[in-house]
């Protein structure tokens, strides 16, 4: 296993570790936090502010190989969210291809306040259902808070449509001790029952739960057992997706370790419906995460 230091100063460092032929991981050490991300998928794996528990959950059985999405952290769903089914009923694969391709680190800056990393993924003809030329740029700021910006640039000569999500797995004490009260004010589509425009009051986040909430308000994951709040805000995202598979589904997922479903709640800043990017134009979606005590 080869480790190389990419940048370092008195405030922190960024090092690269090659864990196999397919995947390299960046380890981030800063006076405000510890973090890591995989260049495969441009995938944030962890972020832990000083004095706090880990914020993002990562499966102990996550797979790190080409063609497999990493289970946990923040997978990037792009250029579509969920399945993409053509007129013949063929599914082009769930959640697009950004999370199963290699990204490049193009810049890293270390200051007293934070570490900023900029990653890029650029291609053309990547998928039969999305053949257009594009560039993705991801700006990640690790500090006492966490900022993630994803900029999508259409490099083709025609308008393209996309949907997306920042599929965050948040580490919690147990879904039974967690709620996201602001969602209770918003209508949602229930993907399990296929019922649309529903409303109800969630007392906790025990799965199976899979809902698309139609709101853009800031959200707070309240964890009573760990006495903390995870505050999440989004930019240019029209929905929030709340997901936990529950035990039965998780037991049939090879990349979730036993009872792993009891350790996370997914709250995803998302655009689940198609949106347009004109030729030569860019669109940025973002999320900001911070921790506070109950």
């Amino acid at each position: 296993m080869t480790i190389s230091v990419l940048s370092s100063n008195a405030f922190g460092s960024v090092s690269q570790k090659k864990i196999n032929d397919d995947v390299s991981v960046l380890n981030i050490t800063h006076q405000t936090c510890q973090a890591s991300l995989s260049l495969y998928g441009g995938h944030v794996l962890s972020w832990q502010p000083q004095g706090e528990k880990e914020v993002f959950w990562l499966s102990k059985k996550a797979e790190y190989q080409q063609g497999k999405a990493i289970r946990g952290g923040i997978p990037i769903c792009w250029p579509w969210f969920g399945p993409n089914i053509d007129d013949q009923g063929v599914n082009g694969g769930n959640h697009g291809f950004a999370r199963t391709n290699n990204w490049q680190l193009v810049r890293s800056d270390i200051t007293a306040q934070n570490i900023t990393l900029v990653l890029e993924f650029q291609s053309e003809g990547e998928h039969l259902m999305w053949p257009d030329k594009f560039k993705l740029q991801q700006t990640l700021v690790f500090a006492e808070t966490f900022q993630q910006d994803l900029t999508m640039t259409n490099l083709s000569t025609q308008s393209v449509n996309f949907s997306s999500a920042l599929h965050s797995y948040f580490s919690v004490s147990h879904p039974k001790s967690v709620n996201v009260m602001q969602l209770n004010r918003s209508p949602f589509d229930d993907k399990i029952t296929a019922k649309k425009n529903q409303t109800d009051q969630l007392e906790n986040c025990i799965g199976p739960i899979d809902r698309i909430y139609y709101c853009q308000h800031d959200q707070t994951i309240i964890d009573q057992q760990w006495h903390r709040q995870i505050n999440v805000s989004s930019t240019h995202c029209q929905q929030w997706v709340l997901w936990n598979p529950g035990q039965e589904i998780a037991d049939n997922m090879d990349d979730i370790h036993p009872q792993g479903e009891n350790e996370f709640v997914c709250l995803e800043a998302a655009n689940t419906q198609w949106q347009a990017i004109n030729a030569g134009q860019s669109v940025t979606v973002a999320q900001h995460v911070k921790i506070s005590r109950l």
Side-chain angles (χ1 to χ4, degrees), residues 12-59:
S13 66
V14 179
S15 61
Q16 180 170 321
K17 177 174 66 176
K18 190 173 180 65
I19 62 174
N20 58 41
D21 290 340
D22 296 327
V23 179
S24 291
V25 169
L26 302 184
N27 290 314
I28 297 136
T29 300
H30 190 260
Q31 60 186 12
T32 63
C33 68
Q34 304 286 324
S36 63
L37 68 92
S38 168
L39 291 177
Y40 173 70
H43 191 131
V44 173
L45 301 174
S46 67
W47 168 61
Q48 185 174 6
Q50 292 293 336
E52 299 289 347
K53 294 180 182 293
E54 172 61 54
V55 178
F56 298 119
W57 176 86
L58 184 64
S59 176

Side-chain angles (χ1 to χ4, degrees), residues 37-294:
L37 68 92
S38 168
L39 291 177
Y40 173 70
H43 191 131
V44 173
L45 301 174
S46 67
W47 168 61
Q48 185 174 6
Q50 292 293 336
E52 299 289 347
K53 294 180 182 293
E54 172 61 54
V55 178
F56 298 119
W57 176 86
L58 184 64
S59 176
K60 297 173 185 175
K61 295 179 68 177
E63 300 181 45
Y64 301 90
Q65 58 180 311
Q66 290 287 338
K68 298 282 189 179
I70 300 169
R71 179 67 64 185
I74 314 177
I76 293 177
C77 303
W78 191 90
W80 58 81
F81 173 82
N84 186 11
I85 301 174
D86 66 14
D87 294 338
Q88 286 73 46
V90 176
N91 184 359
N94 280 348
H95 297 323
F97 48 79
R99 62 183 187 154
T100 54
N101 272 278
N102 289 313
W103 294 56
Q104 303 298 316
L105 176 66
V106 297
R107 195 177 85 238
S108 64
D109 297 315
I110 306 174
T111 69
Q113 291 73 39
N114 57 53
I115 290 184
T116 300
L117 302 181
V118 179
L119 310 179
E120 288 186 357
F121 168 41
Q122 183 170 331
S123 187
E124 183 178 11
E126 190 64 44
H127 196 284
L128 289 174
M129 292 185 177
W130 222 90
D132 304 281
K133 187 176 183 180
F134 66 90
K135 181 174 77 171
L136 298 182
Q137 184 177 84
Q138 193 179 174
T139 302
L140 301 164
V141 183
F142 299 94
E144 292 180 351
T145 64
F146 170 74
Q147 177 73 28
Q148 180 179 33
D149 291 30
L150 176 66
T151 299
M152 305 155 272
T153 302
N154 177 9
L155 298 177
S156 73
T157 58
Q158 61 186 5
S159 177
V160 298
N161 291 322
F162 79 98
S163 59
S164 65
L166 303 174
H167 196 313
S168 303
Y169 287 73
F170 288 103
S171 183
V172 299
S173 60
H174 195 289
K176 70 181 179 183
S177 300
V178 170
N179 61 50
V180 190
M181 294 181 64
Q182 292 94 330
L183 292 177
N184 289 336
R185 301 192 296 265
S186 303
F188 64 90
D189 294 343
D190 192 318
K191 296 178 69 178
I192 294 175
T193 65
K195 293 181 179 179
K196 298 184 179 297
N197 198 29
Q198 302 294 295
T199 56
D200 71 5
Q201 303 290 311
L202 272 178
E203 294 184 0
N204 56 54
C205 293
I206 294 175
I209 184 170
D210 193 354
R211 297 177 173 185
I212 299 172
Y213 283 88
Y214 290 88
C215 68
Q216 303 173 51
H217 308 302
D218 296 355
Q219 302 297 326
T220 301
I221 300 172
I222 299 173
D223 192 328
Q224 298 289 348
Q225 186 173 331
W226 280 356
H227 305 291
R228 81 171 179 182
Q229 297 182 152
I230 304 174
N231 305 288
V232 192
S233 59
S234 68
T235 304
H236 297 150
C237 293
Q238 306 301 312
Q239 294 92 29
W240 292 99
V241 176
L242 185 67
W243 180 70
N244 181 283
Q247 181 179 356
E248 184 176 351
I249 294 174
D251 284 349
N252 288 292
M253 299 174 73
D254 292 339
D255 57 357
I256 292 183
H257 61 262
Q259 300 195 22
E261 73 281 358
N262 294 328
E263 301 170 1
F264 71 84
V265 169
C266 285
L267 182 65
E268 311 163 34
N271 291 302
T272 65
Q273 299 172 341
W274 293 110
Q275 299 191 8
I277 310 177
N278 292 330
Q281 298 299 304
S282 298
V283 172
T284 298
V285 298
Q287 68 172 342
H288 183 260
V289 183
K290 63 180 180 179
I291 303 299
S292 59
R293 311 309 300 173
L294 287 178

